[in-house]
Amino acid sequence: MKTGPQHLESLRDGREVYLNGAKVADVTEHPAFRKSVRSMCRLYDAQCDPALRHLLTYVPDDSKERASRIWQLPASFDELVARREALEHLAEMHVGYLGRSPDHVASCISGMYMGLEVFQAHDPARAKALADYYRYARDNDLFLTYVIINPQADRSKGAHEQADPFLVAGVTGKDSRGIIVRGGKMLGTSSIMANEVFVTCIAPLKPDEAAYALSFVVPMNAPGLKVLSRRSYEEAAPSVFDYPLSSRFDENDAVIYFDDVHVPWERVFVCESPEMCRKQFHATPAHVYQNYQAQVRLTVKLRFLMGVARRIAETNGIIGMPPVQQTLGELAAQAAMIEGLVSAMEVRGSHRGRYFLPDPHLLYAAQVLSQDMYPAFVTAIRELAGGGLIMLPSAAEDFAHPELARLIGKTQKSPVADSKQRVKLFKLAWDALGSEFASRHLQYEMFYAGAAFVTRGHSFCNYDWDRASALVDHMLAGYDLEGEVEPSP
């Protein structure tokens, strides 16, 4: 098992990361990334804790060595639940704010591996590359991110119709050793703190867009791979007291540009096949398995926000008011709905060959509901907090100034907490609900699974329409113009 210090050292690999007009010399020490990198490292330390070994690790069938449970391929309901409990524990370490923690893309690659027969039918050599890579990533405890969306340019045109034919990452050449890739992909979440990046396209591609129909993995320090970071919220949040989430859990996002990057064949899973690009997600368990992980994480995040909401009500002395209890009760019902759907996905799960997988439609139902729910959920808590989220001391340093500390004590009042505790809570609440970091998370929860029409389309395609239609047919067959019809034996 990889430890936190080992993961930290693995990131000092010469990768090309650019921020604020300059190349970052060391992402593990730069103030834009340092604390968030260490938050990721703590996830690796947790699985090495003897007290958590049984929860967070397992022994694969083809190995005698323990591996992180994020790579587990459940063969039963009990194993699926055991893996979910591990993911839940990891999410609790960051209260759900690391959306692209190591367990997310591990779930994607694991899901693809569980559908290996789809790759074998397409190309046995690419299937072998995937199988070998799954075991390599698992056995080396790699942290993977992915870039699966094309840069936004003229969105009325396809990738092959853009002014620059290599705006989108595509094949520029092939040789006996592999393929050469040029162009950009996004969003590169957590790429700064990952070991390798999985590159593909999740949106449907047209037959004449085969050059962009790729699926491969490369290390983050591959020659020609450039990471163009967005503004760092961590860098703008030097105080943990003032920004407890931004300062430690800013997983970052980035455009990844491939400047003629050479990818060896043993790391290429799909090459120039739009049909197979689609199948790798939807004909295998990959799409369901990776988004199931995301819903597990979301349940933890909603649970945390529920705790924030109640603590605000208690701190402001309004917890006994019926309208406040009504608001909290409604939010609790919404949080329980998502958590209940996760449990139901498992209960209604089924086997695909030897693997036991969560129910697809309940997964997509949860996505549809949570996309609309999350913005309203955050807004309701902001309304509960009122102006208290804004009228806070400017910085932790204010408490060190005797006169300011005296005035803070007079103006930051609560029936259940002293002034420091009240400010601490509301600083946390602001970082979760209203800061730039919080705004990014609002956007993330609304769109990480795709636009609303995409998730609703998945829900439409996976619902049991035959069973619903059979009920309609049964009812229609029971009567006619003459009245009730005797049921056939």
Side-chain angles (χ1 to χ4, degrees):
M1 303 301 302
K2 183 167 63 175
T3 65
Q6 287 171 334
H7 181 65
L8 192 72
E9 186 59 35
S10 74
L11 303 181
R12 297 176 176 133
D13 57 4
R15 59 188 60 198
E16 284 192 72
V17 175
Y18 294 89
L19 175 74
N20 302 333
K23 182 180 177 181
V24 176
D26 183 352
V27 297
T28 70
E29 296 300 334
H30 195 284
F33 314 119
R34 183 173 57 234
K35 291 189 182 75
S36 297
V37 165
R38 281 159 177 77
S39 293
M40 291 291 191
C41 289
R42 280 192 283 274
L43 301 179
Y44 286 98
D45 281 334
Q47 66 187 16
C48 295
D49 182 343
L52 298 172
R53 179 178 177 177
H54 180 72
L55 174 65
L56 300 182
T57 70
Y58 77 115
V59 180
D61 293 340
D62 60 349
S63 174
K64 295 181 180 179
E65 300 292 330
R66 299 195 76 84
S68 172
R69 215 179 269 278
I70 68 175
W71 296 100
Q72 188 171 14
L73 312 174
S76 67
F77 168 79
D78 288 342
E79 289 187 0
L80 182 65
V81 170
R83 182 176 183 271
R84 186 254 299 155
E85 289 173 346
L87 302 186
E88 203 168 6
H89 180 87
L90 293 170
E92 286 173 350
M93 294 179 66
H94 50 81
V95 292
Y97 278 84
L98 292 177
R100 199 67 54 78
S101 50
D103 45 326
H104 184 68
V105 180
S107 298
C108 175
I109 298 296
S110 298
M112 289 167 59
Y113 180 84
M114 287 189 280
L116 193 61
E117 74 280 359
V118 177
F119 287 83
Q120 290 169 334
H122 170 69
D123 184 337
R126 300 304 103 232
K128 183 179 185 305
L130 172 61
D132 289 346
Y133 186 76
Y134 164 76
R135 287 186 287 268
Y136 170 78
R138 179 198 68 191
D139 295 346
N140 288 278
D141 217 1
L142 295 185
F143 181 178
L144 307 182
T145 185
Y146 59 25
V147 281
I148 59 178
I149 300 174
N150 296 334
Q152 294 182 353
D154 186 343
R155 300 190 71 184
S156 69
K157 297 179 180 178
H160 67 301
E161 299 170 318
Q162 301 294 329
D164 178 359
F166 289 102
L167 165 75
V168 176
V171 177
T172 64
K174 290 181 279 187
D175 58 30
S176 60
R177 296 183 300 114
I179 63 175
I180 300 169
V181 178
R182 183 187 306 162
K185 299 290 287 191
M186 57 188 244
L187 292 164
T189 304
S190 288
S191 56
I192 276 97
M193 47 210 78
N195 297 122
E196 303 199 357
V197 57
F198 172 45
V199 185
T200 190
C201 189
I202 196 167
L205 293 166
K206 300 173 183 176
D208 52 359
E209 294 179 318
Y212 312 103
L214 303 172
S215 178
F216 64 88
V217 177
V218 289
M220 288 303 303
N221 67 343
L225 190 155
K226 296 176 172 60
V227 181
L228 311 180
S229 172
R230 63 150 163 82
R231 178 177 179 270
S232 168
Y233 307 140
E234 177 183 331
E235 190 173 37
S239 166
V240 176
F241 184 88
D242 292 320
Y243 295 97
L245 301 176
S246 306
S247 62
R248 296 180 293 167
F249 304 126
D250 181 19
E251 59 192 349
N252 204 271
D253 309 285
V255 171
I256 309 294
Y257 191 81
F258 300 87
D259 197 358
D260 290 346
V261 174
H262 189 274
V263 185
W265 284 115
E266 57 266 29
R267 293 292 182 261
V268 178
F269 312 142
V270 177
C271 183
E272 299 178 314
S273 173
E275 180 185 12
M276 191 58 204
C277 259
R278 180 187 61 80
K279 284 184 175 181
Q280 70 179 336
F281 286 109
H282 299 291
T284 76
H287 198 256
V288 169
Y289 207 51
Q290 73 186 48
N291 284 296
Y292 163 73
Q293 178 276 337
Q295 290 298 310
V296 172
R297 175 197 57 79
L298 182 60
T299 63
V300 173
K301 191 176 190 178
L302 294 176
R303 196 178 303 146
F304 164 73
L305 289 172
M306 282 303 306
V308 169
R310 182 183 174 96
R311 192 67 58 84
I312 287 171
E314 291 171 339
T315 301
N316 280 348
I318 58 174
I319 189 66
M321 296 181 179
V324 172
Q325 293 181 357
Q326 181 181 350
T327 296
L328 291 174
E330 184 175 355
L331 293 175
Q334 292 172 351
M337 175 182 65
I338 301 301
E339 187 167 358
L341 282 169
V342 169
S343 296
M345 292 172 211
E346 298 163 353
V347 172
R348 281 181 49 177
S350 59
H351 275 94
R352 176 190 172 116
R354 61 168 298 207
Y355 305 116
F356 189 85
L357 297 162
D359 180 79
H361 183 257
L362 290 177
L363 177 275
Y364 294 124
Q367 283 189 325
V368 170
L369 295 171
S370 63
Q371 275 184 311
D372 289 337
M373 185 193 83
Y374 190 83
F377 200 91
V378 168
T379 298
I381 302 176
R382 290 178 66 146
E383 290 175 350
L384 197 65
L389 288 176
I390 300 172
M391 295 313 300
L392 293 167
S394 61
E397 288 81 359
D398 288 350
F399 284 96
H401 188 287
E403 179 61 12
L404 288 178
R406 185 181 70 83
L407 294 175
I408 291 170
K410 284 182 170 294
T411 56
Q412 297 289 337
K413 293 289 189 178
S414 165
V416 298
D418 63 28
S419 59
K420 181 181 175 183
Q421 290 172 326
R422 186 186 192 282
V423 170
K424 186 177 182 181
L425 170 66
F426 276 79
K427 290 273 190 180
L428 172 63
W430 175 251
D431 212 12
L433 303 169
S435 67
E436 191 172 8
F437 172 86
S439 182
R440 179 264 180 194
H441 271 268
L442 179 65
Q443 200 76 359
Y444 183 87
E445 299 298 354
M446 290 172 65
F447 290 103
Y448 81 86
F453 75 88
V454 173
T455 56
R456 291 167 185 171
H458 291 322
S459 178
F460 171 81
C461 292
N462 285 273
Y463 187 69
D464 191 349
W465 293 110
D466 290 341
R467 191 172 183 180
S469 297
L471 291 173
V472 176
D473 292 339
H474 170 73
M475 184 56 64
L476 289 173
Y479 63 93
D480 213 331
L481 289 172
E482 291 77 20
E484 188 172 3
V485 176
E486 289 292 327
S488 57

